[in-house]
């Protein structure tokens, strides 16, 4: 059964990027530390990473993130979410945007959704083939999916860093409450991998 999984790396103080995010600086100043568990983690981190990719049937992301990964030096067939340089088909990506880009560098794996995040989630569900729909960022899209009650699971990779500034996952202003039940916790030297089931109101 397809689940909608909001999954993102986060600092101890709640930031999913550092400050000054932009083309060529996609995670902001100091933000690469959020992904130390991906690039410099141990075997337990790798198990978490591999399981996430294996269970992903489709991806939802925002336009700001897409513009960064579509820029020169961004994603390729060998680099990017779930990319495997051995011929496997990578999951389709649904980009929430006000308008489709004129001439994207990335290929037809990417689909542009101009009628909102709910539509993007529904389109991703339709092609996920029973696997998870992973909402991977940026922080605004992740929070929109949570606040709209569209998510089934929240998976946080809490890195061992305090960034002090950047892009928040949870906004400073009041927003919708989300009730959680801890489903899994994996502790490594580089991150706390926390998986929560989202409690739906009956």
């Amino acid at each position: 059964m397809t689940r909608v999984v909001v999954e993102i790396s986060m600092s101890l103080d709640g930031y999913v990027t550092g400050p000054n995010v932009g083309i060529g600086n996609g995670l902001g100043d100091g933000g690469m530390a959020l992904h130390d568990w991906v690039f410099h983690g141990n075997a337990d981190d790798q198990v978490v990473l591999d399981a996430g990719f294996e269970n992903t049937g489709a991806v939802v992301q925002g336009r700001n993130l897409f513009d960064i990964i579509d820029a020169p030096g961004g994603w390729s067939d060998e680099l990017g979410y779930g990319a495997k340089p051995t011929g496997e088909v990578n999951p389709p990506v649904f980009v929430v945007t006000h308008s489709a880009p004129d001439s994207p560098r990335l290929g037809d794996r990417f689909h542009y959704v101009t009628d909102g995040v709910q539509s993007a989630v529904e389109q991703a569900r339709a092609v996920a083939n029973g696997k998870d729909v992973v909402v991977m960022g940026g922080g605004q899209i992740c929070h929109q999916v949570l606040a709209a009650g569209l998510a089934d699971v929240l998976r946080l990779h809490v890195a061992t860093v305090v960034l002090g500034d950047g892009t928040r996952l949870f906004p400073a202003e009041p927003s919708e409450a989300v009730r959680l039940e801890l489903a899994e916790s994996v502790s490594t030297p580089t991150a706390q991998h926390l998986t929560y089931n989202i409690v739906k109101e009956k």
Side-chain angles (χ1 to χ4, degrees):
M1 179 178 171
T2 295
R3 305 176 302 171
V4 177
V5 180
V6 171
E7 179 169 6
I8 198 163
S9 295
M10 184 178 75
S11 67
L12 281 167
D13 52 343
Y15 294 101
V16 296
T17 75
N20 301 314
V21 171
I23 304 300
N25 193 33
L27 286 171
D29 298 345
M32 279 301 295
L34 296 172
H35 288 176
D36 276 354
W37 71 273
V38 175
F39 299 108
H40 308 293
N42 64 18
D44 291 332
D45 293 300
Q46 191 64 47
V47 167
V48 170
L49 187 67
D50 290 346
F53 289 160
E54 179 63 28
N55 293 330
T56 300
V59 174
V60 172
Q61 64 181 217
R63 177 61 184 269
N64 289 342
L65 175 58
F66 173 79
D67 286 344
I68 289 168
I69 67 174
D70 190 56
W75 284 9
S76 66
D77 288 341
E78 293 77 34
L79 176 69
Y81 186 92
K84 304 179 185 71
T86 51
E88 292 93 339
V89 176
N90 294 318
V93 179
F94 293 83
V95 181
V96 182
T97 179
H98 294 296
S99 61
D102 292 330
S103 53
R105 179 181 62 82
L106 296 172
D108 57 8
R109 172 186 176 197
F110 291 80
H111 310 273
Y112 307 101
V113 181
T114 59
D115 54 347
V117 68
Q118 181 168 345
S119 177
V121 168
E122 289 172 354
Q123 291 182 50
R125 272 186 180 276
V127 300
N129 292 322
K131 290 189 173 184
D132 292 340
V133 170
V134 174
V135 183
M136 61 160 291
Q140 183 180 22
I141 291 296
C142 287
H143 186 261
Q144 282 182 26
V145 171
L146 287 170
L150 299 172
D152 302 298
V153 174
L154 172 62
R155 182 171 296 126
L156 297 175
H157 309 286
V158 183
T160 54
V161 62
V162 173
L163 289 178
D165 193 8
T167 305
R168 295 176 181 271
L169 175 58
F170 303 108
E173 64 273 8
S175 62
E176 295 295 323
V178 181
R179 292 183 58 212
L180 307 170
E181 291 178 344
L182 183 64
E184 184 179 30
S185 175
V186 178
S187 179
T188 76
T190 50
Q192 302 296 314
H193 305 285
L194 305 172
T195 301
Y196 298 94
N197 292 326
I198 294 174
V199 178
K200 305 283 188 175
E201 297 296 334
K202 296 181 179 178

